[in-house]
Amino acid sequence: MTNNDKAKKKSKESGWYLLWEYAREHPFIYFVSVASIGLSAILAVIIPRIIGQFTDSFKAGTLDVSGAWKYTWLVFVVGIARVSFGWIGRLLAAQHGRVITYKIREKLFKKWESLSPSYYHGHSVGDLLSHALSDVEVVRQVASMGINITVNGIFMLGAALYMMIIHMNWPLAIAGLGPLIAIPVMVRYYGPRIKEQSAKLQAALGNMSQTVEEIFGGIRTVKAFGNENVVIGRFEEKVDNIVSERIKFVKLSSIFGALVPLMASLGFVIVISYGSFLTINRTISLGDFVAFLLYLTLLRQPLEQLGNMLNVIQRSSASLGRISELLNVPPMVFDGTGKLHNSPVKGDIEVKNLTFRYPGTPVNVLKDISFTIKRGRTLGIIGPIGSGKTTLAHLMLRLYEPPAGSIFIDGVDIREFSVEHLRKSIAYVPQNGFLFSTTVLENIAFSEDKADEEKAVNSAIITAVDEDIRKFPDMYGTEIGERGVRLSGGQKQRVAIARMIYKNAPVHILDDSLSAVDTKTERLILTNMKNEKFPEIAGRSKSTIIISHRLSAVMNANEIIVLDRGRVFERGNHASLVKAGGLYARLWNMQAGISGRHGFPDDDGANRTEMLEALIDEDAQTVKIKEAEEGA
Amino acid sequence: MAIKFKAALDILLPYLKKYRFRMVWIFLLVILVVSTDLVQPIIVKEAIDKHISVPHPDMGSITLMTGIYFIVVIAAFGLTYYQNILLQETGQSIIKHIRTDLFRHLQGLSLKYFDRNASGRIITNVVSDTEALNNFFTDFLANNIKSIFTLIMIIVFMFQLNIKIAAYCFLVVPLIIIISAYFQGKLRAINQEMRSRLSTVIAFLAENLAGMSIVQIFHQEKKQFREFDLRNTKLLESTMVENQLTLAYFLFTESLGDIGVAALVWFGSGPVIRGSVSFGVLYAFIGYIRRFFQPINSITMQLNVLQTMLVATERIVRTFNEKPDITEIAGAKVPAVKGGISFNATHLAYKEDNDILKGIDLEIKPGDRVGFVGASGAGKTSLMSLLARFYDPTGGSVKIDGVDIREWPLKELRQTVGIVQQDITLFAGTVLDNIRFFRKEIPATRVYEVSKMIGADDFIRRLPLGYETLLSEKGATLSFGERQLLSFARVMVFDPKILILDEATASLDSESEAVLQEAIGKVSGGRTLLVIAHRLSTVQQMDYIVVMDDGLIVEKGTHEELLKKSGHYTTLHKSGLLIEEALI
Ligand SMILES: Nc1ncnc2c1ncn2[C@@H]1O[C@H](COP(=O)(O)OP(=O)(O)OP(=O)(O)O)[C@@H](O)[C@H]1O
Ligand SMILES: Nc1ncnc2c1ncn2[C@@H]1O[C@H](COP(=O)(O)OP(=O)(O)OP(=O)(O)O)[C@@H](O)[C@H]1O
Ligand SMILES: [Mg+2]
Ligand SMILES: [Mg+2]
């Protein structure tokens, strides 16, 4: 690594590049801003000079009314100019400071969009939020006030030093300014400590947001258990932690903030004793001595400001560090560099000897899985909890990266797809069916920029939720609340399935997405999905994977695989699996047995035919309902 | 402004009162610090006038003066530090109290509130609005006391010097007040806007972070980014306006100082030339008028901090003013719990005139095991949430053991009624703590016992640290069924008298479910059990089954009885049983 690279890397870590980057893009604005503030500082020094001249002419007795008029105007014009330049400089800097925070928030959001689920497993939403809430706020301070205070401070410091040096005799200047040498030492000592403590404080704030987010996200559970006092206790812990970290921080920063101007005061002490000695010795004149003291007082304010500024810089530096750490997290799934597969997917799926282990864990959760699904066919996956069904679905979507040469679509390894193309080709209903707090319509039409209402309604008809939606006060325009709290469990699931249908992808994956609807509706949905009634979104050409615990959802699949602890334990179709008498048959007996888990009912031969007929009847009815609806 | 200020004060005052002695002490300290600042030039002046610029300077007394000066400097340093720490400690304690009180208050609010308010907004309220009070303690208080103190001193000096000119200088005061009032009004409005937009941004972020995998799976990153940008841009706009306003205000107050000097030069010269005022007085006034405006400027600059704080406080007050609509009546006593439930013509509407439950009549005897089935959206979950008093019925009543549940103490009610909910929530912490819900008084052995019983022990022990494994973000690395088992164990540990399972086994395979049911069977001696399920095999073992449709109970009876009726239940049952239909 060359030095240059190292420097770059360092600045990447420290996060200051976020500010520099932007400043470099707008050099002119920053130049004008710095220049204006500088100019304003210069003008500020001129006013006392004008007053001085005014005084002189008075003393000389040369002042008349027109002279007074002239000085009035001078003071007025210079004063207004000073304020205006200061205003311009501050305005430019501050407005851009705000733009920077805006950009940082955008960057954060973009980054978050690129991070994989495994990242989110290690980082809580609340803590991440705290980056956009508290850290960005800290950065804003330095970005908007920084320039002003620094330029002002440096200028005033420079002016005071300049005055001292041109008027001064050297020994006194060296003696008076000597203590200031300690300042860089203090910065070196306190700087990193303040920064570290500030980072701790920010982390504590993040911790609190995490707790708040989590507890209010699970408020129903907290209330159901009457557990309010326990969570209040947990919250108090976090708040106590913030208080103690903050006090530590304040201790460090205020001692530093006070030490810097103290150095000027100590210089003052030295000058008084040493200067008066020199005055008495007639080495310097009394006037020089007094003037020197005056200039030394001028040092105090800018030093105080600079001390504060250094504090703010350390704080921001901590927050910038946290932000840039986040921004530097590499996204997990990369598109390969080679030529990416981009042609439309037909829907032939093949999984070959797939073995998978979650990164950082010891055991394989999938072992040597193989199956094929021809275009338009359906695969059912069942298996006990934790057997790896969801993992399989996630791998197909490359939410986790599958091993090379294990999953193929249309004969192409999905790792050779662009992630975008792959995810466009697969429509998925996750097991928890997360919904957004927007309207029903926007949720169903999530996969498109602009909601196509007709398509959304059709999707809802297919998933048998249209009727429910029409009963809502605002129908498709109903806001469904955070994560869909205003919907029933089954409605949530069906809206999530409708969202999948709407996407109209060649491959459908349903991950236990019918568990909260009754079996009748389940059947209706599965039938509709293969129906050619709405060819633009559903039909026989879709390849489908249905993961379920309820066997009624998979029994009609072309092939069913039974997973157990990550292995394919049994495979076949419903009839053959029932006959085989293994796990599937056992589950089947439990779920279908009229007398509970005691096995197949003996008396159902006649019954079954009867039921079948009734159901087919029903199917005919549902189609009729839909037709009626369409006609209307 | 006055009202807002009062509202803010009302909330802050009790906290400040608690620390009133400390606040007085801090006030004195600030004055002390200011005095040390002011005394320094006086010492120097003394030293020069009396000891240095005399014909026969005495090195000893000069050293003495230097010593005094040194002491004052060190004292100033120490006092500043001490005052700062003290103020911060006090401020932090106050903020801490406000925060915990706010959190406690929020915990007491009913679900209606949470249905309405996104958690992102609540986070902004608890985390950021309270944090805005911090500035008040760091800068505002100390700086303003200092400014006011200096201002008073300068005013006194000015009046001592020349009452007439001083009075003229005061002509600007009403102007400052009028303009300030104008800007303060605007600043408050924009601050309100800004805070509310910030909370919109945060709410959007919170939701999208939680649902990021959906965004990614549907490949809607660009769309969501645009949505975010929309909100973020709005926030930017209002911060820009706020900044412009602040700076316009700054432009005004800053220029007043210089205009004041110009005016003095102009109006002062006449009398001086005429000789009615000495030049020294005019010169001194020019100096004073500049120093007069310095503290005024710094006060006006702090007024924005004040606005931010007022608006934040207002938002906090608004939350404090939310009253829970589920409350317990004073002195409610716990009846002896047996577990009988009765719904009497119970109605529930989440929105007015939109009844979800349309008159439920149901009597459940203690120890009954009842299954609930029915179309999705029929109102099963809603019915159960009445039992835990998540909501109160809009008509009719719900009684447990003959006592209207509104007359029960809430805590006991919720300990009596245990619900395994359709949505699973786990918290950051160990598996053990999740199962006992962070109640340290529940022994670990009890947790092990329950987990074994319901068949969760196996998978928990397979986790890297077993029961001590830290769950990552809400249990995201567990499979769904595993999460469901944990939430099941959590309810069982608390051993409620009335146990409600709302689709509690939907994510379980039938074998795990069988283990569970056996466990429930074992412990349910005398326990009332209500089970909602779409998988009929789950409920057919129950004493009787209640079939719901569209907010009403339509059938009731045992599995066999209901099958004979060929009603709703039979249809549900049949579709579950359908075999080998050629759909494909
Ligand atoms: N992100 C992860 N990191 C580590 N382990 C994981 C992760 N996600 C799941 N697991 C583990 O992998 C196993 C398989 O999980 P998976 O979610 O695929 O099960 P599943 O078959 O879908 O179960 P269920 O029917 O309960 O949904 C489980 O034991 C689970 O604890
Ligand atoms: N918090 C709420 N605010 C407004 N409406 C709600 C709320 N909760 C539920 N609803 C509505 O009340 C009706 C009944 O919902 P409920 O959750 O009780 O049904 P359910 O019988 O449990 O259905 P499922 O079997 O799908 O879980 C639904 O139409 C739903 O949209
Ligand atoms: Mg799963
Ligand atoms: Mg429900």
Side-chain angles (χ1 to χ4, degrees):
Chain A
M1 207 186 282
T2 69
N3 265 348
N4 199 6
D5 281 349
K6 251 187 212 152
K8 249 190 205 154
K9 184 156 173 277
K10 195 142 186 245
S11 106
K12 277 242 157 191
E13 271 161 20
S14 79
W16 286 101
Y17 75 97
L18 288 167
L19 299 189
W20 297 144
E21 213 173 69
Y22 190 70
R24 231 181 297 131
E25 273 171 36
H26 303 273
F28 182 68
I29 284 166
Y30 281 91
F31 173 74
V32 172
S33 170
V34 170
S36 306
I37 293 170
L39 199 60
S40 161
I42 292 172
L43 289 173
V45 184
I46 290 180
I47 295 182
R49 295 206 143 221
I50 299 174
I51 303 287
Q53 281 169 13
F54 172 67
T55 314
D56 288 348
S57 62
F58 238 114
K59 289 212 172 120
T62 53
L63 193 78
D64 52 10
V65 176
S66 77
W69 187 233
K70 186 186 99 191
Y71 284 115
T72 308
W73 269 108
L74 262 178
V75 171
F76 183 77
V77 170
V78 174
I80 295 294
R82 170 188 79 91
V83 177
S84 305
F85 277 115
W87 175 73
I88 292 171
R90 284 191 192 199
L91 190 69
L92 285 178
Q95 300 267 302
H96 279 79
R98 279 156 177 80
V99 174
I100 287 175
T101 55
Y102 160 87
K103 295 225 158 163
I104 291 180
R105 285 201 176 105
E106 307 258 287
K107 275 198 172 126
L108 282 174
F109 190 74
K110 271 222 171 94
K111 187 74 211 181
W112 284 330
E113 285 190 322
S114 79
L115 294 175
S116 65
S118 58
Y119 182 81
Y120 288 98
H121 294 164
H123 297 81
S124 78
V125 171
D127 184 39
L128 293 176
L129 274 185
S130 164
H131 285 82
L133 197 57
S134 315
D135 287 310
V136 169
E137 204 46 42
V138 174
V139 174
R140 191 183 68 129
Q141 281 185 5
V142 74
S144 54
M145 307 181 335
I147 296 186
N148 182 37
I149 298 186
T150 314
V151 173
N152 235 332
I154 288 177
F155 183 85
M156 281 161 70
L157 209 59
L161 289 176
Y162 173 76
M163 295 297 213
M164 277 155 97
I165 285 163
I166 58 166
H167 284 109
M168 239 2 75
N169 82 337
W170 283 101
L172 199 55
I174 290 168
L177 296 179
L180 297 189
I181 293 171
I183 292 178
V185 180
M186 284 184 236
V187 173
R188 268 196 86 90
Y189 178 82
Y190 280 106
R193 284 175 175 72
I194 291 173
K195 182 177 163 188
E196 195 192 319
Q197 189 53 39
S198 176
K200 279 191 192 154
L201 173 59
Q202 291 302 120
L205 279 168
N207 240 320
M208 176 179 69
S209 330
Q210 172 183 355
T211 307
V212 174
E213 192 266 341
E214 182 184 89
I215 286 170
F216 287 108
I219 189 74
R220 266 163 211 269
T221 310
V222 173
K223 286 201 171 285
F225 282 80
N227 220 20
E228 287 90 341
N229 284 334
V230 176
V231 296
I232 288 170
R234 268 167 76 75
F235 177 74
E236 273 175 343
E237 256 171 49
K238 311 282 160 145
V239 175
D240 282 342
N241 190 26
I242 291 179
V243 173
S244 86
E245 296 294 357
R246 165 111 54 201
I247 296 297
K248 277 188 215 154
F249 170 77
V250 167
K251 281 186 176 155
L252 275 172
S253 69
S254 33
I255 201 144
F256 177 73
L259 271 175
V260 172
L262 177 70
M263 291 305 117
S265 299
L266 288 183
F268 214 89
V269 174
I270 295 173
V271 169
I272 294 178
S273 51
Y274 183 48
S276 48
F277 171 74
L278 291 179
T279 316
I280 295 168
N281 279 353
R282 310 259 173 240
T283 318
I284 56 173
S285 74
L286 183 64
D288 279 352
F289 174 54
V290 174
F292 191 82
L293 282 178
L294 222 112
Y295 293 130
L296 211 49
T297 9
L298 287 183
L299 277 181
R300 229 190 106 94
Q301 208 198 349
L303 278 180
E304 224 166 75
Q305 280 187 357
L306 282 181
N308 282 341
M309 196 55 220
L310 286 170
N311 257 326
V312 173
I313 287 177
Q314 293 304 339
R315 273 218 82 175
S316 311
S317 165
S319 287
L320 280 170
R322 276 164 56 84
I323 291 171
S324 79
E325 189 188 326
L326 216 161
L327 291 178
N328 288 331
V329 177
M332 185 172 143
V333 178
F334 297 99
D335 282 339
T337 42
K339 197 176 165 322
L340 295 174
H341 185 78
N342 258 331
S343 44
V345 162
K346 289 203 286 298
D348 289 320
I349 300 168
E350 185 176 12
V351 171
K352 261 197 233 157
N353 309 328
L354 168 63
T355 297
F356 178 76
R357 180 157 51 92
Y358 280 103
T361 58
V363 284
N364 288 334
V365 287
L366 291 175
K367 296 160 202 154
D368 200 20
I369 310 272
S370 303
F371 58 79
T372 50
I373 308 168
K374 286 262 164 300
R375 172 167 191 241
R377 306 238 124 185
T378 301
L379 174 79
I381 303 179
I382 66 148
I385 58 173
S387 54
K389 305 179 293 295
T390 302
T391 307
L392 186 57
H394 284 176
L395 289 176
M396 303 202 59
L397 286 157
R398 283 176 75 190
L399 287 174
Y400 289 89
E401 192 72 313
S406 57
I407 305 179
F408 300 86
I409 292 182
D410 295 348
V412 181
D413 189 335
I414 57 168
R415 290 166 56 123
E416 280 155 34
F417 278 67
S418 72
V419 174
E420 176 171 358
H421 183 54
L422 178 74
R423 292 188 184 160
K424 273 198 176 138
S425 311
I426 301 178
Y428 176 59
V429 189
Q431 209 165 356
N432 72 353
F434 185 95
L435 297 176
F436 291 91
S437 62
T438 49
T439 61
V440 179
L441 178 67
E442 281 171 71
N443 266 289
I444 294 179
F446 185 66
S447 51
E448 269 180 5
D449 283 353
K450 237 180 106 31
D452 177 341
E453 188 150 358
E454 194 193 328
K455 195 164 140 192
V457 172
N458 289 344
S459 310
I461 291 175
I462 289 175
T463 56
V465 71
D466 176 63
E467 218 178 296
D468 292 67
I469 296 172
R470 290 192 187 278
K471 280 190 208 144
F472 295 160
D474 299 317
M475 307 226 264
Y476 281 84
T478 310
E479 302 263 347
I480 59 170
E482 198 165 43
R483 294 181 203 189
V485 277
R486 289 187 209 131
L487 301 184
S488 84
Q491 286 164 349
K492 265 186 257 181
Q493 279 197 336
R494 282 175 291 158
V495 170
I497 305 173
R499 177 171 66 185
M500 173 199 81
I501 299 281
Y502 184 98
K503 192 175 169 188
N504 190 26
V507 179
H508 283 172
I509 303 177
L510 289 94
D511 191 352
D512 205 13
S513 317
L514 293 154
S515 62
V517 300
D518 54 85
T519 36
K520 191 172 134 197
T521 315
E522 168 189 289
R523 265 186 28 68
L524 187 63
I525 295 172
L526 292 176
T527 317
N528 286 346
M529 276 172 58
K530 292 284 180 183
N531 201 313
E532 297 289 345
K533 186 90 210 154
F534 301 111
E536 78 280 11
I537 39 179
R540 285 170 196 281
S541 65
K542 312 268 182 206
S543 308
T544 312
I545 297 178
I546 301 175
I547 297 170
S548 176
H549 283 299
R550 210 154 50 187
L551 302 190
S552 52
V554 297
M555 55 191 284
N556 293 310
N558 303 89
E559 190 185 12
I560 302 168
I561 59 176
V562 182
L563 284 185
D564 193 11
R565 299 231 180 153
R567 278 188 195 287
V568 177
F569 194 66
E570 293 173 282
R571 65 194 328 152
N573 61 19
H574 176 73
S576 73
L577 285 169
V578 170
K579 220 175 276 159
L583 177 60
Y584 187 91
R586 267 209 320 282
L587 294 171
W588 175 253
N589 287 354
M590 285 177 168
Q591 288 180 23
I594 290 188
S595 45
R597 18 192 145 97
H598 304 302
F600 243 153
D602 295 321
D603 63 340
D604 71 337
N607 252 345
R608 231 188 284 167
T609 336
E610 220 173 74
M611 285 177 196
L612 207 70
E613 271 162 15
L615 278 165
I616 289 166
D617 240 32
E618 249 171 50
D619 268 357
Q621 262 170 21
T622 46
V623 174
K624 257 185 234 147
I625 292 172
K626 275 184 301 185
E627 269 163 1
E629 231 148 28
E630 255 175 56
Chain B
M1 167 92 182
I3 297 167
K4 296 280 154 54
F5 195 74
K6 195 174 164 301
L9 220 57
D10 276 350
I11 218 94
L12 285 177
L13 222 50
Y15 297 102
L16 288 171
K17 250 195 199 140
K18 217 169 145 187
Y19 293 97
R20 58 180 174 277
F21 294 119
R22 238 222 250 149
M23 292 311 280
V24 170
W25 178 216
I26 290 170
F27 183 75
L28 291 178
L29 278 175
V30 174
I31 290 182
L32 217 57
V33 168
V34 177
S35 318
T36 55
D37 265 2
L38 292 173
V39 105
Q40 286 174 23
I42 297 177
I43 297 175
V44 177
K45 186 173 170 291
E46 279 295 285
I48 293 173
D49 287 355
K50 300 229 171 94
H51 302 285
I52 300 174
S53 65
V54 290
H56 301 289
D58 161 24
M59 217 39 220
S61 51
I62 292 173
T63 314
L64 182 71
M65 290 307 273
T66 316
I68 293 175
Y69 187 83
F70 181 72
I71 289 166
V72 170
V73 164
I74 295 296
F77 169 75
L79 282 172
T80 311
Y81 177 73
Y82 177 57
Q83 169 253 313
N84 215 343
I85 300 290
L86 207 60
L87 179 61
Q88 288 271 353
E89 269 175 355
T90 316
Q92 285 307 309
S93 311
I94 292 177
I95 290 173
K96 175 188 148 178
H97 284 262
I98 294 180
R99 254 189 196 142
T100 38
D101 286 355
L102 185 65
F103 188 84
R104 198 185 299 272
H105 180 78
L106 278 164
Q107 285 296 320
L109 292 180
S110 346
L111 283 181
K112 265 207 182 124
Y113 178 82
F114 297 103
D115 285 358
R116 257 193 351 256
N117 291 280
S119 53
R121 285 180 195 283
I122 299 175
I123 294 173
T124 320
N125 206 213
V126 177
V127 176
S128 171
D129 289 339
T130 49
E131 190 69 13
L133 298 185
N134 197 36
N135 288 340
F136 180 72
F137 293 104
T138 45
D139 305 337
F140 186 79
L141 228 50
N143 283 352
N144 279 345
I145 293 177
K146 204 166 170 175
S147 301
I148 289 172
F149 194 72
T150 343
L151 193 60
I152 291 174
M153 302 234 325
I154 287 168
I155 291 171
V156 169
F157 284 145
M158 279 164 83
F159 273 93
Q160 268 180 353
L161 215 57
N162 185 313
I163 294 182
K164 214 167 127 199
I165 304 184
Y168 275 127
C169 291
F170 268 77
L171 282 179
V172 296
V173 172
L175 183 66
I176 294 178
I177 290 175
I178 291 170
I179 303 273
S180 294
Y182 171 77
F183 274 108
Q184 290 302 305
K186 291 235 158 200
L187 276 173
R188 186 179 67 238
I190 195 67
N191 263 302
Q192 273 163 346
E193 183 98 28
M194 207 166 75
R195 289 244 134 226
S196 111
R197 286 179 179 182
L198 175 68
S199 98
T200 308
V201 165
I202 296 303
F204 184 87
L205 282 179
E207 179 171 39
N208 278 271
L209 281 171
M212 193 51 83
S213 64
I214 300 288
V215 176
Q216 292 173 342
I217 289 166
F218 282 82
H219 209 82
Q220 292 305 310
E221 288 94 339
K222 289 205 185 87
K223 174 175 157 192
Q224 292 311 90
F225 182 75
R226 268 200 308 279
E227 290 284 315
F228 174 71
D229 186 49
L230 223 65
R231 291 164 175 79
N232 198 18
T233 307
K234 275 202 166 154
L235 173 62
L236 174 68
E237 277 163 12
S238 56
T239 57
M240 292 286 223
V241 173
E242 179 264 346
N243 182 239
Q244 282 156 9
L245 271 173
T246 314
L247 284 176
Y249 190 32
F250 155 85
L251 188 61
F252 163 74
T253 50
E254 277 271 310
S255 32
L256 266 190
D258 289 336
I259 294 173
V261 173
L264 265 181
V265 169
W266 176 237
F267 292 109
S269 318
V272 173
I273 293 171
R274 262 181 273 117
S276 60
V277 174
S278 80
F279 178 74
V281 171
L282 177 63
Y283 186 75
F285 258 99
I286 290 176
Y288 281 133
I289 196 94
R290 305 194 68 198
R291 282 205 269 150
F292 173 70
F293 276 102
Q294 239 167 35
I296 290 188
N297 283 345
S298 87
I299 290 172
T300 50
M301 277 290 106
Q302 292 292 328
L303 282 178
N304 195 32
V305 175
L306 180 70
Q307 281 307 339
T308 315
M309 179 219 132
L310 283 181
V311 169
T313 318
E314 208 183 308
R315 290 166 56 88
I316 295 169
V317 172
R318 217 180 299 146
T319 310
F320 273 122
N321 285 343
E322 289 281 345
K323 292 284 167 274
D325 42 23
I326 309 273
T327 48
E328 51 182 29
I329 50 173
K333 272 206 265 329
V334 207
V337 187
K338 290 202 283 295
I341 303 167
S342 71
F343 292 97
N344 312 299
T346 310
H347 284 258
L348 173 68
Y350 291 105
K351 249 195 180 157
E352 250 167 76
D353 301 327
N354 188 8
D355 272 10
I356 296 296
L357 297 179
K358 304 171 177 170
I360 301 281
D361 283 294
L362 183 64
E363 195 74 42
I364 296 169
K365 288 195 289 301
D368 273 0
R369 297 156 68 227
V370 191
F372 286 82
V373 300
S376 159
K380 304 178 294 293
T381 303
S382 304
L383 189 66
M384 299 308 155
S385 57
L386 289 181
L387 272 178
R389 270 195 93 193
F390 285 170
Y391 306 93
D392 273 341
T394 40
S397 65
V398 183
K399 290 180 181 162
I400 293 180
D401 294 327
V403 180
D404 194 312
I405 57 172
R406 279 168 285 200
E407 285 158 26
W408 277 65
L410 258 182
K411 195 160 181 238
E412 272 70 20
L413 176 71
R414 289 184 176 151
Q415 269 165 14
T416 307
V417 180
I419 305 189
V420 182
Q421 282 163 317
Q422 225 165 346
D423 295 317
I424 306 160
T425 13
L426 297 174
F427 298 88
T430 62
V431 171
L432 181 69
D433 278 341
N434 262 285
I435 296 179
R436 61 181 177 190
F437 214 157
F438 303 101
R439 298 235 184 123
K440 304 282 183 223
E441 72 269 18
I442 296 173
T445 46
R446 165 96 187 121
V447 173
Y448 303 152
E449 182 194 336
V450 168
S451 311
K452 269 209 193 79
M453 201 166 61
I454 66 166
D457 189 64
D458 260 4
F459 95 82
I460 297 174
R461 295 215 181 267
R462 276 204 304 272
L463 295 173
L465 296 173
Y467 284 87
E468 297 301 329
T469 311
L470 274 176
L471 289 186
S472 54
E473 181 62 3
K474 293 163 195 153
T477 54
L478 297 178
S479 90
F480 252 74
E482 291 163 346
R483 283 181 237 175
Q484 193 150 53
L485 280 181
L486 290 187
S487 84
F488 209 100
R490 184 164 60 197
V491 172
M492 298 296 280
V493 158
F494 286 85
D495 196 20
K497 207 68 187 155
I498 298 173
L499 179 59
I500 302 172
L501 310 181
D502 188 354
E503 293 288 359
T505 54
S507 301
L508 301 184
D509 58 285
S510 294
E511 289 196 320
S512 313
E513 189 188 350
V515 173
L516 255 182
Q517 283 191 339
E518 202 174 314
I520 295 168
K522 253 193 248 159
V523 296
S524 71
R527 204 197 296 253
T528 312
L529 182 65
L530 313 181
V531 179
I532 303 178
H534 286 298
R535 216 189 285 168
L536 297 188
S537 56
T538 310
V539 293
Q540 49 189 301
Q541 316 287 310
M542 298 293 126
D543 295 338
Y544 54 93
I545 297 166
V546 173
V547 186
M548 289 184 66
D549 193 36
D550 200 16
L552 287 170
I553 294 178
V554 288
E555 284 172 33
K556 199 179 128 184
T558 63
H559 176 67
E560 283 75 21
E561 281 166 15
L562 288 174
L563 273 188
K564 278 191 201 110
K565 275 190 191 159
S566 341
H568 277 83
Y569 188 78
T570 318
T571 333
L572 290 175
H573 184 66
K574 274 192 296 189
S575 46
L577 264 186
L578 178 80
I579 306 170
E580 287 133 26
E581 199 205 348
L583 279 177
I584 300 144

